[in-house]
């Protein structure tokens, strides 16, 4: 009997939920309804049942929601109720729809507080919290009146991932950390230790673990977990304990994405120097736990480096322009990578699994991998793939999304996934081929075969697993389509030199390439982290002084980080 091979996804932290919102929007952009005419065959589409679950709401209507657990701070959900919107908990988005006046709401809140005995009646003061503003996009979405041509200016106005979320979540998906409220000036959950302590609190742990169990029990053939989390703050500690629990209870494969904010991280009662030290300690402890608990982990950031990068120097992708510290735009790039890189084991007819996918890219215990992205892919309008690869020569196709990391072009183990390149663009027919006939790649009969040959010829001593689907990245609303330069066509191809898209036209879809790579050079990424630890004086970090972290525990994490780095020595290759 064939099983669905389900995957349960975790999003831990505010930036993780930004990336997750774009990721789930992308999944639903690929849904097919009725007799839609698409140029992509059914078998080359994602098997949505891997990431989604079917259920019924209180009105006995079928729902189809992400198999997802999300954790964030109070104040980040915006207009969304914690229990979601599909099971009778509809958001009151317009003031005239509110059933109670503000005075009535306050009186009811006062009565509940008095009954609970939180304090003496004469000491009780109840204040109304300002209602969360609802983005214009969400208002139109509620009315089923989203105008694709309308400029919703989400890059400037999105204050939360909820402002651009198209997908709808299950009631057990959203989890808010008790007692912690979002602070735009500093991390509310600042340290790794604070995250581990939060996991151990019964007010959070019992219900969260029950929700994990309920999701797992619904699965016929659970193959593993996707875990996205913010590594620069306390969500790293929460993620580490969560992974430990998943391994102890379920023993499945885990693909983990530690995410770095595209901006300077601040912490309570800490200047820039101390904030940097706190972030280093958080990363040391996080990497140590990942090296033991994750099957594979891939740090992601749009910044070139996360250490001493006060000018926020960002990576660059030809054909794209974005604001360096914009959470809405940068998270879309990381989500595009995540979506594309995982397609090889999510397509309907693929024999690949999450376990085999991770094992192929992590030889000799090298669990740390690097992320490469080409968005848009770089093909010119009307150009064939065989010509594009031939003209690329030694020029790198990919831009790194793992900060401070360059895997190189020798002795690389990698998984490469291309999307949105139709097979008609592979090469010209034999009667029109001309010079293409003299190229060795002309014998290739698929996109994946040609990419495999390309990397075999250009990456010395490397092992490449290539996959491809003609399904492009959908870049309509609420994707930040404004990032595409004027020299990119509506289909995501490069226009001839000097040509531009028509005024008012937008890029609706784009071909792209994503890769997970492993090589000895990734050891330099670990060296950079360890070098930053030399400047850390743990005793002076007030954020850690009252935590459960002992000096010996931190020193052990540093020592084991060096042991993990030794796996990336040349002598350990394969």
């Amino acid at each position: 009997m064939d099983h669905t091979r389900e995957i349960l996804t975790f999003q831990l932290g505010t930036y993780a939920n930004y990336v997750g919102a774009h990721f789930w929007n992308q999944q639903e952009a690929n849904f097919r309804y009725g007799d839609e005419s698409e140029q992509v065959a059914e078998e080359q589409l994602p098997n949505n049942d891997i990431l989604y679950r079917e259920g019924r709401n209180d009105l006995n209507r079928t729902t189809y929601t992400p198999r997802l657990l999300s954790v964030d701070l109070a104040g980040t959900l915006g207009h969304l109720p914690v229990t979601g919107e599909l099971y009778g908990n509809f958001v009151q988005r317009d003031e005239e729809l509110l059933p109670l006046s503000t005075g009535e709401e306050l009186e009811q809140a006062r009565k509940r507080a008095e009954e609970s005995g939180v304090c003496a009646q004469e000491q009780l003061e109840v204040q109304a919290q300002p209602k969360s503003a609802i983005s214009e996009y969400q208002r139109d979405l509620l009315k089923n009146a989203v105008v694709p041509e309308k400029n919703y200016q989400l890059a400037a106005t999105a204050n939360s991932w909820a402002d651009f979320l198209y997908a709808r979540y299950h009631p057990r998906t959203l989890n808010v950390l008790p007692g912690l409220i979002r602070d735009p000036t500093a991390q509310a959950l600042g340290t790794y230790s604070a995250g581990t302590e939060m996991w151990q609190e019964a007010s959070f742990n019992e219900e969260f673990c029950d929700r994990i169990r309920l999701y797992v029990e619904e699965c016929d053939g659970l193959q593993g977990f996707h875990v996205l989390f913010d590594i620069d703050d306390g969500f790293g500690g929460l993620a580490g304990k969560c992974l430990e629990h998943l391994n102890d209870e379920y023993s499945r494969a885990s693909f983990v994405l530690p995410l770095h904010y595209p901006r300077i991280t601040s912490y309570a009662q800490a200047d820039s120097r101390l904030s940097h030290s706190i972030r280093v300690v958080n990363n040391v402890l996080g990497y140590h736990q990942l090296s033991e608990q994750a099957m594979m982990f891939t740090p992601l950031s749009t910044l070139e480096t996360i250490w001493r990068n006060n000018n926020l120097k960002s990576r660059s992708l030809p054909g794209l322009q974005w604001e360096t510290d914009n959470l809405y735009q940068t998270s879309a790039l990381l989500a595009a990578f995540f979506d594309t890189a995982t397609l090889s084991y999510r397509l309907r007819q693929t024999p690949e699994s999450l376990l085999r996918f991770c094992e192929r890219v992590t030889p000799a215990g090298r669990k740390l991998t690097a992320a490469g992205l080409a968005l848009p892919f770089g093909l010119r309008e009307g150009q064939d793939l065989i010509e594009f690869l031939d003209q690329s020569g030694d020029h790198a196709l990919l831009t790194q999304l793992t900060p401070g990391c360059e895997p190189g072009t020798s002795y690389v183990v990698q998984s490469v996934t291309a999307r949105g390149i139709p097979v008609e663009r592979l090469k010209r027919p034999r009667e029109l081929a001309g010079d293409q006939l003299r190229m060795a790649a002309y014998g290739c009969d698929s996109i994946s075969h040609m990419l495999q040959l390309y990397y075999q010829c250009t990456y010395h001593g490397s092992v490449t697993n290539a996959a491809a689907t003609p399904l492009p990245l959908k870049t309509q609303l609420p994707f930040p389509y404004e990032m595409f330069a004027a020299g990119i066509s509506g289909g995501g191809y490069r226009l001839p030199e000097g040509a531009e898209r028509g005024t008012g036209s937008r890029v609706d879809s784009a071909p792209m390439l994503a890769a997970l790579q492993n090589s000895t050079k990734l050891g330099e990424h670990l060296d950079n982290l360890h070098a930053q630890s030399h400047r850390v004086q743990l005793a002076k970090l007030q954020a850690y002084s009252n935590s459960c972290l002992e000096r010996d525990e931190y020193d052990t994490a540093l020592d084991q980080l060096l042991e993990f780095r030794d796996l990336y020595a040349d002598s350990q290759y394969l």
Side-chain angles (χ1 to χ4, degrees):
M1 178 179 177
D2 291 334
H3 293 302
T4 300
R5 301 177 297 121
E6 300 94 343
I7 292 174
L8 174 57
T9 302
F10 293 82
Q11 294 165 193
L12 311 177
T14 300
Y15 196 47
N17 279 294
Y18 266 84
V19 175
H22 280 297
F23 176 76
W24 298 112
N25 288 348
Q26 188 62 217
Q27 305 317 301
E28 305 213 4
N30 292 325
F31 283 1
R32 282 191 173 183
Y33 300 97
D35 298 326
E36 291 183 15
S37 59
E38 290 276 354
Q39 296 181 350
V40 181
E42 288 284 338
E43 64 272 11
Q44 294 176 316
L45 290 170
N47 179 356
N48 297 311
D49 291 339
I50 291 177
L51 297 178
Y52 279 72
R53 63 177 297 282
E54 186 175 300
R56 288 191 175 275
N57 64 12
D58 295 340
L59 301 176
N60 203 33
R61 293 174 180 167
T62 301
T63 61
Y64 198 55
T65 52
R67 188 177 295 104
L68 167 68
L69 283 167
S70 162
V71 182
D72 211 335
L73 305 171
T76 58
L77 302 189
H79 61 278
L80 290 178
V82 176
T83 50
E85 298 177 89
L86 291 178
Y87 286 68
N89 304 291
F90 297 102
V91 184
Q92 303 296 338
R93 299 174 188 249
D94 295 299
E95 294 295 328
E96 63 270 18
L97 297 179
L98 290 173
L100 297 175
S101 68
T102 301
E104 290 173 318
E105 287 179 323
L106 287 176
E107 185 60 30
Q108 287 196 5
R110 176 184 292 278
K111 287 181 180 179
R112 288 194 298 270
E114 290 175 353
E115 292 170 359
S116 65
V118 293
C119 67
Q121 184 174 350
E122 61 274 10
Q123 297 175 329
L124 183 64
E125 180 182 359
V126 181
Q127 296 181 346
Q129 186 177 17
K131 294 187 181 299
S132 298
I134 303 173
S135 69
E136 185 180 9
Y137 171 75
Q138 287 293 343
R139 285 187 179 275
D140 284 356
L141 187 60
L142 176 70
K143 302 170 187 175
N144 197 25
V146 171
V147 182
E149 297 78 20
K150 187 175 181 178
N151 184 4
Y152 288 94
Q153 298 183 327
L154 287 168
T157 61
N159 294 314
S160 165
W161 49 267
D163 288 340
F164 60 89
L165 179 68
Y166 178 84
R168 291 296 176 253
Y169 291 162
H170 188 272
R172 79 170 73 113
T173 285
L174 297 175
N175 301 266
V176 175
L177 293 181
L180 292 175
I181 300 176
R182 178 188 182 187
D183 182 351
T185 62
Q187 299 298 331
L189 189 69
T191 65
Y192 185 94
S193 296
T196 61
E197 292 168 5
M198 179 59 69
W199 174 268
Q200 294 162 354
E201 287 193 13
S203 58
F204 172 80
N205 181 276
E206 292 179 4
E207 182 176 3
F208 191 73
C209 290
D210 279 345
R211 292 184 174 194
I212 296 174
R213 177 182 55 79
L214 289 171
Y215 270 129
V216 171
E217 289 176 351
E218 293 174 348
C219 299
D220 293 326
L222 179 74
Q223 60 174 318
F225 309 99
H226 288 159
V227 183
L228 295 79
F229 73 94
D230 302 351
I231 192 172
D232 292 327
D233 56 24
F235 283 102
L238 194 72
K241 299 302 289 186
C242 181
L243 282 168
E244 197 174 313
H245 172 77
L246 296 177
N247 285 334
D248 290 344
E249 296 293 327
Y250 306 108
S251 300
R252 296 294 195 276
S254 58
F255 178 25
V256 186
L257 298 175
L259 308 173
H260 296 279
Y261 274 94
R263 53 178 61 167
I264 296 174
T265 310
S266 299
Y267 303 87
Q269 299 178 323
D271 58 20
S272 60
R273 182 178 60 83
L274 292 178
S275 290
H276 177 267
S277 295
I278 293 171
R279 190 152 62 111
V280 170
V281 175
N282 288 342
N283 277 261
V284 167
L285 297 173
Y287 272 52
H288 166 231
Q289 187 77 338
L290 289 171
S291 68
E292 293 189 339
Q293 301 295 337
M295 187 164 207
M296 177 171 70
F297 67 100
T298 310
L300 294 182
S301 176
T302 52
L303 298 179
E304 279 194 1
T305 177
I306 54 172
W307 309 125
R308 308 291 176 183
N309 189 2
N310 294 328
N311 295 327
L312 295 179
K313 188 174 182 181
S314 178
R315 299 283 192 183
S316 61
L317 289 164
L320 289 184
Q321 298 170 341
W322 65 88
E323 298 174 33
T324 299
D325 62 348
N326 189 287
L327 300 185
Y328 163 70
Q329 291 181 331
T330 57
S331 59
L333 297 176
L334 303 189
F337 164 80
F338 178 43
D339 180 36
T340 304
T342 59
L343 276 175
S344 65
Y345 56 86
R346 293 194 292 115
L347 296 178
R348 297 186 181 182
Q349 298 299 323
T350 181
E352 188 70 288
S353 68
L354 175 59
L355 175 63
R356 287 196 295 267
F357 177 79
C358 292
E359 288 177 339
R360 285 177 178 173
V361 197
T362 56
R366 295 177 173 182
K367 298 181 178 182
L368 168 67
T369 57
L373 177 71
L375 173 65
F377 180 57
L379 275 173
R380 292 196 313 273
E381 195 76 64
Q383 186 181 29
D384 296 318
L385 179 63
I386 189 172
E387 292 178 346
F388 173 77
L389 295 177
D390 183 65
Q391 294 169 9
S392 296
D394 295 332
H395 178 69
L397 300 180
L398 299 163
T399 297
Q400 283 301 311
L401 288 183
T402 298
C405 188
E406 296 295 339
T409 58
S410 297
Y411 305 108
V412 177
V413 178
Q414 60 183 352
S415 174
V416 178
T417 305
R419 68 186 305 176
I421 306 173
V423 69
E424 305 84 55
R425 301 289 294 273
L426 180 67
K427 58 187 179 182
R428 288 197 289 270
R430 180 169 292 273
E431 61 273 15
L432 302 174
D435 292 341
Q436 291 184 6
L437 284 172
R438 292 196 289 269
M439 301 178 188
Y442 194 81
C444 299
D445 56 4
S446 68
I447 304 294
S448 57
H449 187 192
M450 190 171 289
L451 284 172
Q452 193 107 13
L453 178 62
Y454 168 79
Y455 281 109
Q456 180 182 333
C457 295
T458 56
Y459 276 42
H460 174 68
S462 298
V463 177
T464 300
N465 291 289
T469 173
L471 180 72
L473 180 77
K474 302 293 180 64
T475 56
Q476 305 104 321
L477 276 169
F479 187 90
Y481 55 81
E482 71 277 359
M483 293 192 299
F484 286 98
I488 303 299
S489 72
Y493 298 101
R494 284 191 299 128
L495 293 170
E497 191 73 28
E500 295 185 355
R501 278 194 320 276
T503 304
S505 62
R506 297 174 178 174
V507 178
D508 294 323
S509 63
M512 64 172 289
L513 190 69
L516 284 158
Q517 301 174 301
N518 211 328
S519 74
T520 58
K521 287 185 173 293
L522 268 62
E524 298 173 5
H525 177 84
L526 299 171
D527 289 337
N528 291 336
L529 173 57
H530 193 272
Q532 296 300 319
S533 68
H534 297 159
R535 306 181 184 184
V536 173
Q537 294 178 294
L538 194 62
K540 291 187 177 181
L541 300 183
Q542 185 175 350
Y544 270 103
S545 60
N546 298 323
S547 72
C548 60
L549 179 66
E550 300 289 341
R551 178 75 206 195
D552 290 346
E553 183 182 347
Y554 176 65
D555 290 340
T556 298
L558 280 173
D559 291 341
Q560 294 188 352
L561 186 66
L562 287 177
E563 292 181 13
F564 182 58
R565 190 264 177 265
D566 288 342
L567 297 175
Y568 289 84
D570 286 336
S571 60
Q572 296 296 322
Y573 178 70
L574 297 184

